[in-house]
Amino acid sequence: MVGKKRTLKKHDKRVVVVGGGTGSSVILRGLKLFTENITAIVTVADDGGGSGVLREDLGMLPPGDIRSCILALADDEGIMQQLLNYRFEEGMLKGQSFGNLFLAAMNGISGNFMEAVKNASDVMAIKGTVLPISLDQITLRATFQNGETVNGESIIPARAIERKTKIKEVSIDPADAKPLPEAIDAIMDAQAIIIGPGSLYTSIIPNLLVEGMKEALLKTKAKRFYISNIMTQPGETEGYDVWDHVQAIAAHMKCDSQEIFDYIVINRGKELGESLEKYQQGGAARVRFLEERFAGMSYELIKDDFSEIKSQYIRHNAYKVAEAILEKV
């Protein structure tokens, strides 16, 4: 990485990342090496874990994915990041992260959740802006292929596994949830919009169902990228290849995928050894890429070895992905 930084091409491209959770955080860490003009638009449908507890107890929007993106864009990822990522291991706070509590406290002393996010971002001196997709309390609903419907982002994958069925579609309640105006403005002003990687049905698609998002993505003059996941996710995308991911997004947005995306970023990397075996034991597999399924499509395919292994986890190489995308902008 040291050698790469010496040849780093800095620029001021306006980039928007749409998603949430680990996937967005990884990509943001790569992008901030190239530009500080970044906006992360983050899902607020999470209702599990520490975020879910705070959402229920305090009536606030879930802070977990927001926290992850703020930390990813922080100028200094040293002791403050360790502090905000710290999870209590016992007592009434067991399982809760200090970062979530920090955002909850900010929410308490701020005028609203958006102001709390801005204040937290200022404290962390982040390179860019983090925005919740909406200030509405959004509940995610899934309909399975067996006809069953469940509410709540946190239970959807587990219920699919339990019932041995697959997700047919997801929706949000309220269906007319309003986007944060700054999020739409960022999309319209962007030069590049990156959707993914991340949990397809619980992190990516919920953002795209918020009112006005489809229209903004169709009208923007930005180049639009979809980053395919490297691994499938049990309870969400078993058996899915890259094409299936793209088409699921298009189906939920009720338009042709070629209207949404200009580029698809695809990992075509090496075998992943022992780490892959651990994923397979948990029911995950590599997301396959079948070239023939993309025949005649208008978008450009960006194919490379974009994977790396960190602490036994398979992740995108954030530097390589950011570099490959920004070369097209």
Side-chain angles (χ1 to χ4, degrees):
M1 180 64 75
V2 173
K4 288 180 178 177
K5 284 185 178 178
R6 284 200 297 266
T7 60
L8 202 63
K9 181 182 178 182
K10 292 282 189 176
H11 49 66
D12 200 29
K13 300 293 186 184
R14 298 184 301 279
V15 183
V16 170
V17 176
V18 180
T22 302
S24 288
S25 327
V26 169
I27 299 306
L28 291 170
R29 285 189 169 90
L31 287 169
K32 76 177 182 182
L33 299 174
F34 294 87
T35 178
E36 296 186 11
N37 207 336
I38 306 167
T39 301
I41 299 176
V42 186
T43 180
V44 290
D46 185 11
D47 64 352
S51 287
V53 171
L54 293 174
R55 179 175 178 170
E56 183 175 348
D57 284 355
L58 303 180
M60 65 180 290
L61 291 174
D65 286 350
I66 296 281
R67 180 200 78 237
S68 296
C69 290
I70 288 174
L71 291 176
L73 289 174
D75 189 39
D76 178 9
E77 294 192 53
I79 189 65
M80 277 299 291
Q81 183 176 63
Q82 294 179 45
L83 176 63
L84 293 178
N85 272 332
Y86 175 77
R87 286 191 181 275
F88 295 90
E89 297 179 355
E90 56 187 335
M92 293 181 64
L93 293 176
K94 184 177 180 179
Q96 187 63 266
S97 81
F98 180 76
N100 284 356
L101 297 178
F102 174 68
L103 273 169
M106 276 292 189
N107 189 58
I109 66 172
S110 304
N112 55 47
F113 187 70
M114 185 58 240
E115 185 180 332
V117 172
K118 182 181 183 305
N119 290 338
S121 299
D122 290 344
V123 169
M124 294 299 294
I126 72 170
K127 295 181 176 180
T129 304
V130 177
L131 302 174
I133 180 62
S134 174
L135 294 181
D136 291 342
Q137 290 280 358
I138 293 175
T139 299
L140 188 63
R141 175 179 296 120
T143 301
F144 298 121
Q145 289 182 356
N146 67 0
E148 183 180 359
T149 298
V150 296
N151 293 326
E153 177 270 341
S154 61
I155 67 171
I156 290 170
R159 184 64 59 86
I161 294 170
E162 177 189 339
R163 297 288 197 263
K164 296 181 179 179
T165 186
K166 291 187 175 183
I167 296 171
K168 180 180 179 181
E169 65 177 356
V170 293
S171 58
I172 58 173
D173 182 23
D176 61 349
K178 300 297 185 290
L180 195 72
E182 293 91 332
I184 299 299
D185 291 343
I187 288 172
M188 297 307 298
D189 187 52
Q191 292 169 279
I193 296 168
I194 301 170
I195 296 175
S199 300
L200 180 64
Y201 289 106
T202 53
S203 287
I204 304 300
I205 291 176
N207 288 302
L208 307 179
L209 297 179
V210 172
E211 190 175 272
M213 280 293 286
K214 172 182 174 179
E215 291 74 16
L217 288 169
L218 293 178
K219 289 179 181 178
T220 181
K221 296 187 183 303
K223 293 183 178 180
R224 300 154 302 176
F225 299 79
Y226 174 64
I227 303 177
S228 173
N229 291 341
I230 297 174
M231 304 297 297
T232 62
Q233 186 171 350
E236 289 203 37
T237 54
E238 294 102 328
Y240 276 39
D241 62 14
V242 177
W243 175 261
D244 294 323
H245 283 77
V246 173
Q247 295 310 308
I249 292 172
H252 280 80
M253 294 182 71
K254 296 181 171 56
C255 60
D256 191 302
S257 60
Q258 296 170 100
E259 297 180 84
I260 312 166
F261 300 119
D262 302 298
Y263 300 88
I264 311 294
V265 180
I266 302 162
N267 176 59
R268 297 290 286 158
K270 56 188 176 298
E271 292 301 320
L272 298 167
E274 292 182 8
S275 293
L276 180 59
E277 292 178 11
K278 291 181 180 180
Y279 276 80
Q280 290 172 332
Q281 290 170 6
R286 286 188 67 157
V287 173
R288 296 169 298 130
F289 167 67
L290 304 175
E291 186 100 36
E292 61 271 19
R293 301 196 80 180
F294 289 87
M297 296 292 105
S298 63
Y299 29 65
E300 181 178 333
L301 305 179
I302 303 174
K303 297 175 286 185
D304 203 340
D305 180 3
F306 289 120
S307 65
E308 64 178 358
I309 299 171
K310 287 190 174 181
S311 303
Q312 299 291 308
Y313 289 100
I314 299 170
R315 297 281 186 258
H316 281 86
N317 183 313
Y319 179 97
K320 285 189 69 173
V321 172
E323 185 177 47
I325 286 176
L326 293 174
E327 282 178 353
K328 301 292 183 180
V329 179

